[in-house]
Amino acid sequence: MGGVAIALLPWTAYLSVTLPARHESVHWDVVWPGFDIALALAIGATVFALVRWSGYLPILASVAGTLLLCDAWFDTLTSHPGTEFAWAAAEALVAELPLAAFCFWIALDSETVAVARRFVGASDATTEIPSESQATG
């Protein structure tokens, strides 16, 4: 993995000077809905894992957070200047980035999330909250 990370640096520099400023895609109408479906599934799976207190919660929350960051990045950078860019930036700042941060918090501190769930009565009072070692292994 370290070699891949290092190899990406010159590759990225090469792409930044050789890629055209404009590119049209034949499947643009499939790319975005497909990505949004993947995003919805990742968020839905995260919620399901949270409700079921699955050991997969940190992984699913990380996936959802990463997809939200990608969505904000591409929505903003592929939008036309003006109103379209303003809407993309507003959506990123108000929805996608805060939700991504929330997902990463869930991923990093899932045991605290479980305690919070129990505190607000979201789980059965007889449900035992697994320790970190039980949830991850």
Side-chain angles (χ1 to χ4, degrees), residues 79-92:
S79 61
H80 293 291
T83 304
E84 187 176 319
F85 176 78
W87 276 108
E91 187 177 313

Side-chain angles (χ1 to χ4, degrees), residues 23-25 29-30 54 60 77 84 90 106 119-120 133 136-137:
H23 176 79
E24 291 192 33
S25 174
D29 59 338
V30 177
S54 170
L60 294 169
L77 293 179
E84 187 176 319
I106 289 171
F119 178 75
V120 297
S133 62
T136 59

Side-chain angles (χ1 to χ4, degrees), residues 10-131:
W11 176 249
T12 303
Y14 169 76
L15 289 177
S16 70
V17 296
T18 60
L19 284 176
R22 181 178 166 90
H23 176 79
E24 291 192 33
S25 174
V26 179
H27 303 291
W28 192 252
D29 59 338
V30 177
V31 170
W32 283 115
F35 183 84
D36 286 340
I37 289 169
L39 180 57
L41 289 172
I43 293 170
T46 301
V47 171
F48 183 77
L50 181 60
V51 170
R52 304 285 297 173
W53 186 241
S54 170
Y56 293 110
L57 177 61
I59 295 167
L60 294 169
S62 296
V63 169
T66 301
L67 289 176
L68 284 159
L69 289 180
C70 292
D71 196 28
W73 173 266
F74 285 106
D75 282 348
T76 305
L77 293 179
T78 61
S79 61
H80 293 291
T83 304
E84 187 176 319
F85 176 78
W87 276 108
E91 187 177 313
L93 292 171
V94 172
E96 294 161 339
L97 297 178
L99 188 53
F102 182 61
C103 287
F104 291 131
W105 173 73
I106 289 171
L108 289 172
D109 204 4
S110 59
E111 196 163 324
T112 301
V113 172
V115 171
R117 278 185 62 240
R118 178 175 251 177
F119 178 75
V120 297
S123 66
D124 183 7
T126 61
T127 304
E128 180 181 334
I129 298 172
S131 68

